Amino acid sequence: EPEVTQTPSHQVTQMGQEVILRCVPISNHLYFYWYRQILGQKVEFLVSFYNNEISEKSEIFDDQFSVERPDGSNFTLKIRSTKLEDSAMYFCASSTDRGVYEQYFGPGTRLTVT
Amino acid sequence: RKEVEQDPGPFNVPEGATVAFNCTYSNSASQSFFWYRQDCRKEPKLLMSVYSSGNEDGRFTAQLNRASQYISLLIRDSKLSDSATYLCVVNIANNRLAFGKGNQVVVIP
């Protein structure tokens, strides 16, 4: 069964450093997403991406964040200058279409900012 | 009002028993609804979509009440492996999901 994959599984970085989280969505999916979950809290939407551009983003997704699909398979989330409060689990998801279609999540990258 | 509200529990359920919980959502324009399961420190995994007519998948039954804006999940004949957090998820825009905090279920032998 096809699945979303993410690397690395755990990233430790110092405050102020840039990090890039990588995802490979399911191959025939067209919509890609990033969510985050701070420990003990609910999953929060960050951004959705379709046809090589952002289709929607939340208030959390400020200028420090960017997304890119650098090739036909990878989908990346970059945080330019990490803060302590960026420590969270970051999940990538993908779906075949938008709206009613189910989103499938990758295993996540645990980001720890020290 | 929060987009999706759930009573976090925990719900301690004897093995073999039935457990049910609801969630409420605030956006009356929402068109699609899901239950996801999340194990500790793992990703949300799709359990089932929730349709207007209600739907069943084995021991799991989901219902949607649009008038009252709530969604329910019922688990029959609980197994130890059902212990997890069940996330109520609502599509609040074209491709943006809103999650509840989850109902934590602990199945006790």
Side-chain angles (χ1 to χ4, degrees):
Chain A
E1 185 178 316
E3 55 186 26
V4 177
T5 59
Q6 288 185 244
T7 53
S9 56
H10 191 189
Q11 173 97 44
V12 182
T13 189
Q14 288 191 324
M15 201 165 52
Q17 296 297 304
E18 174 183 287
V19 294
I20 298 176
L21 310 183
R22 291 184 167 79
C23 167
V24 178
I26 295 172
S27 61
N28 64 338
H29 285 188
L30 302 176
Y31 287 81
F32 316 118
Y33 314 86
W34 284 101
Y35 292 82
R36 80 171 186 191
Q37 187 175 30
I38 295 170
L39 190 63
Q41 298 189 24
K42 65 180 181 179
V43 177
E44 299 174 291
F45 170 81
L46 292 177
V47 66
S48 59
F49 191 86
Y50 170 70
N51 201 26
N52 282 319
E53 59 183 30
I54 291 173
S55 49
E56 190 159 350
K57 60 183 181 179
S58 72
E59 317 71 48
I60 303 167
F61 194 89
D62 61 22
D63 292 343
Q64 293 299 312
F65 292 88
S66 62
V67 288
E68 194 178 33
R69 187 151 163 84
D71 53 44
S73 58
N74 288 285
F75 178 51
T76 62
L77 174 70
K78 182 194 289 187
I79 309 176
R80 256 180 279 285
S81 177
T82 50
K83 308 184 190 69
L84 293 176
E85 55 265 36
D86 293 328
S87 294
M89 187 74 118
Y90 288 81
F91 295 110
C92 174
S94 67
S95 64
T96 55
D97 205 333
R98 62 182 184 176
V100 301
Y101 293 87
E102 296 93 349
Q103 295 183 20
Y104 294 89
F105 284 73
T109 293
R110 179 166 298 285
L111 177 65
T112 302
V113 182
T114 61
Chain B
R1 187 178 167 188
K2 292 179 186 170
E3 291 170 326
V4 181
E5 291 204 59
Q6 289 183 263
D7 174 6
F11 294 76
N12 295 316
V13 185
E15 194 175 4
T18 296
V19 61
F21 29 82
N22 299 330
C23 84
T24 57
Y25 61 94
S26 59
N27 188 341
S28 59
S30 296
Q31 292 297 314
S32 51
F33 311 89
F34 310 95
W35 284 102
Y36 280 75
R37 170 193 168 127
Q38 187 173 34
D39 293 287
C40 189
R41 294 183 176 244
K42 300 284 189 181
E43 75 273 24
K45 289 195 169 163
L46 180 67
L47 182 66
M48 58 200 304
S49 303
V50 187
Y51 304 120
S52 297
S53 54
N55 47 304
E56 189 173 308
D57 183 2
R59 299 181 292 108
F60 298 84
T61 301
Q63 297 278 351
L64 168 64
N65 184 317
R66 284 188 186 272
S68 302
Q69 293 180 211
Y70 79 79
I71 306 151
S72 65
L73 180 68
L74 183 144
I75 308 174
R76 284 184 299 279
D77 187 22
S78 299
K79 313 286 185 197
L80 296 177
S81 57
D82 293 334
S83 296
T85 297
Y86 292 85
L87 306 176
C88 178
V89 182
V90 176
N91 190 303
I92 60 169
N94 276 337
N95 44 23
R96 175 175 178 161
L97 297 181
F99 284 74
K101 290 195 78 171
N103 299 114
Q104 186 187 3
V105 172
V106 179
V107 181
I108 304 162

